[in-house]
């Protein structure tokens, strides 16, 4: 019963804060949900990324989220040498309340990265993203507050959904972002970005109302620098706000080069991020042959820790970057975490 009450509380919080967007603890490994300006911002010919998150697994599949994306650069022979123009596509599925609410998104994004110096060390980027959203509510699996009696959810709801057990809403959305990325010598990198999702303020309601989706504004940044020949440190932060809800995450990770190869490194990563007021987020990862796998496990320290048993969420990320075949190419310094 305690878990049910906590789940109801969590759902109430989400409603009162006007439908918060899905989010990842490994925000740095989900580029196209963080900022459209990340489209095409990598050192390679194309990038494939995937993420899976199971939040609060002890509370009956409260939230599960998965994404898959691919982005690449175009017209490299028709634009200035260190400029890049990226195109990307992403799909995302987000399920809430043991699949009662099923959200599907498909996004197309583009970004132009303009070099500010002759070495391409400093770039400024503007990016845009268009998203088609489909949200479906399975009323046959849902329990409402007015159904709750002394015997459990045995009453009859007065909510009206046009006598349809599967209620859906569809809309088109627009997102935008800016990003600055720099390096002092090509061996380090630092960056700062800002993005705004739901710029077009689409209407979203299952009951025919005029609810307007609130924008999500995000500020993020970070960088990396070598410490020794085989060790580097990566740090990053994110602060985002949507309606009355805010989230701030700060942390970093060390990487240890296992093969002493700068062009195709085999790296081991270990680090820790912290989501203020909510959870510690230990991170481990491994990188080889252009593929990076990461895993985090949120450890709740908030008031929800009793119900979640301090299990805030398992999360897995995958990023594969196809390296160019030209060994004499100039290596681009790009955000990595």
């Amino acid at each position: 019963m305690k878990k049910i009450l906590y789940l109801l509380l969590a759902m109430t919080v989400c409603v009162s804060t006007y439908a918060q967007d899905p989010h990842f603890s490994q925000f740095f490994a989900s580029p196209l949900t963080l900022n459209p300006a990340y489209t095409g911002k990598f050192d390679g010919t194309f990038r494939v990324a995937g993420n899976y998150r199971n939040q609060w697994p002890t509370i009956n599949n409260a939230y599960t989220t998965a994404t898959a994306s691919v982005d690449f650069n175009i017209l490299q022979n028709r634009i200035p040498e260190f400029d890049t123009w990226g195109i990307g596509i992403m799909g995302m599925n987000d399920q809430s309340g043991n699949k009662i609410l099923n959200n599907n998104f498909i996004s197309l994004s583009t970004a132009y990265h303009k070099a500010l110096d002759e070495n391409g060390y400093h770039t400024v980027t503007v990016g845009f993203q268009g998203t088609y959203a489909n949200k479906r509510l399975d009323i046959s699996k849902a329990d409402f507050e007015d159904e709750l009696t002394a015997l459990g959810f045995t009453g009859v709801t007065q909510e009206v959904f046009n006598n349809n057990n599967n209620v859906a809403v569809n809309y088109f959305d627009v997102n935008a972002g800016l990003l600055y990325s720099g390096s002092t010598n090509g061996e380090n990198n630092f960056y700062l970005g800002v993005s705004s999702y739901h710029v077009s303020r689409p209407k979203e309601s299952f009951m025919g109302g005029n609810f307007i989706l609130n924008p999500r504004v995000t500020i993020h940044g970070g960088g990396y620098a070598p410490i020794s020949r085989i060790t580097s440190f990566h740090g990053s932060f994110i602060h985002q706000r949507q309606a009355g809800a805010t989230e701030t995450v700060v942390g970093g990770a060390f990487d240890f080069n296992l093969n002493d190869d700068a062009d195709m490194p085999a790296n081991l990563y270990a680090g820790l991020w912290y989501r203020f007021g909510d959870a510690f987020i230990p991170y481990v990862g491994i990188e080889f042959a252009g593929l990076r796998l990461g895993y985090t496990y949120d450890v709740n320290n908030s008031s929800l820790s009793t119900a979640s048993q301090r299990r805030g969420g398992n999360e897995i990320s995958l990023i594969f970057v196809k390296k160019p075949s030209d060994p004499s190419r100039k290596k681009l310094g790009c955000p990595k975490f």
Side-chain angles (χ1 to χ4, degrees):
M1 185 63 183
K2 183 180 290 186
K3 291 183 180 180
I4 293 176
L5 291 176
Y6 271 107
L7 179 57
L8 289 173
L9 176 62
M11 293 177 69
T12 301
V13 169
C14 288
V15 171
S16 65
T17 54
Y18 305 100
Q20 299 173 44
D21 286 353
H23 64 93
F24 290 101
S25 293
Q26 297 180 52
F27 57 90
F28 45 80
S30 183
L32 300 191
T33 64
L34 177 61
N35 192 334
Y38 267 129
T39 307
K41 188 61 175 175
F42 56 90
D43 185 29
T45 57
F46 69 86
R47 173 175 60 187
V48 178
N51 310 82
Y52 175 79
R53 176 176 177 82
N54 186 358
Q55 185 172 337
W56 302 334
T58 61
I59 313 181
N60 198 25
N61 294 319
Y63 300 98
T64 58
T65 307
T67 68
S69 67
V70 59
D71 56 332
F72 49 89
N73 295 314
I74 61 173
L75 304 179
Q76 286 299 98
N77 296 326
R78 299 187 181 184
I79 58 179
E81 180 182 5
F82 292 113
D83 289 8
T84 54
W85 186 359
I87 300 291
I89 183 170
M90 181 190 69
M92 179 166 62
N93 173 259
D94 180 63
Q95 299 178 353
S96 306
N98 201 21
K99 301 182 180 181
I100 293 175
L101 178 61
N102 198 325
N103 305 319
N104 292 290
F105 308 89
I106 184 73
S107 301
L108 293 173
S109 60
T110 184
Y112 192 88
H113 311 271
K114 178 62 181 177
L116 303 178
D117 64 301
E118 61 181 8
N119 294 313
Y121 286 165
H122 301 270
T123 62
V124 63
T125 303
V126 59
F128 297 95
Q129 185 178 73
T131 298
Y132 175 77
N134 170 264
K135 300 191 173 187
R136 186 172 296 276
L137 183 66
D138 189 347
I139 302 173
S140 67
K141 297 179 180 179
D143 293 317
F144 298 90
E145 183 181 5
D146 58 356
E147 294 181 82
L148 185 61
T149 69
L151 300 177
F153 289 96
T154 59
V156 178
T157 183
Q158 300 302 309
E159 301 289 348
V160 179
F161 291 94
N162 299 322
N163 297 317
N164 188 341
N165 282 338
N166 288 286
V167 180
V169 60
N170 306 286
Y171 58 83
F172 182 76
D173 202 358
V174 176
N175 314 312
L178 297 171
L179 179 69
Y180 165 77
S181 176
S183 176
T184 60
N185 55 15
E187 300 298 324
N188 56 25
N189 178 258
F190 44 91
Y191 64 93
L192 182 66
V194 60
S195 62
S196 181
Y197 283 64
H198 319 307
V199 174
S200 57
R201 304 293 302 276
K203 292 182 178 180
E204 181 183 74
S205 174
F206 289 109
M207 302 178 67
N210 290 316
F211 172 72
I212 297 177
L213 193 59
N214 283 277
R216 168 169 59 94
V217 177
T218 300
I219 299 173
H220 62 97
Y224 66 84
I227 298 175
S228 68
R229 187 172 57 86
I230 62 171
T231 307
S232 299
F233 178 75
H234 304 257
S236 62
F237 76 90
I238 182 175
H239 175 77
Q240 52 187 349
R241 174 181 291 272
Q242 186 172 16
T246 62
E247 178 188 53
T248 302
V249 184
V250 176
F254 292 93
D255 82 59
F256 306 93
N257 188 283
L258 305 179
N259 64 350
D260 199 19
D261 187 339
D263 292 325
M264 192 63 71
N267 289 334
L268 177 66
Y269 296 92
L272 179 71
W273 274 258
Y274 179 67
R275 182 183 299 113
F276 283 86
D278 182 47
F280 292 94
I281 309 168
Y283 169 85
V284 293
I286 188 169
E287 180 179 26
F288 58 93
L291 177 70
R292 189 172 92 232
L293 297 171
Y295 174 75
T296 52
Y297 186 85
D298 294 10
V299 182
N300 280 133
N301 68 333
S302 66
S303 58
L304 191 63
S305 60
T306 302
S308 69
Q309 300 175 24
R310 297 191 180 276
R311 302 175 188 175
N314 295 281
E315 189 171 308
I316 299 172
S317 68
L318 176 152
I319 292 182
F320 173 74
V321 176
K322 174 63 176 177
K323 298 295 184 180
S325 57
D326 182 7
S328 63
R329 67 182 177 87
K330 182 177 178 61
K331 183 179 179 181
L332 299 178
C334 297
K336 197 170 185 179
F337 276 83

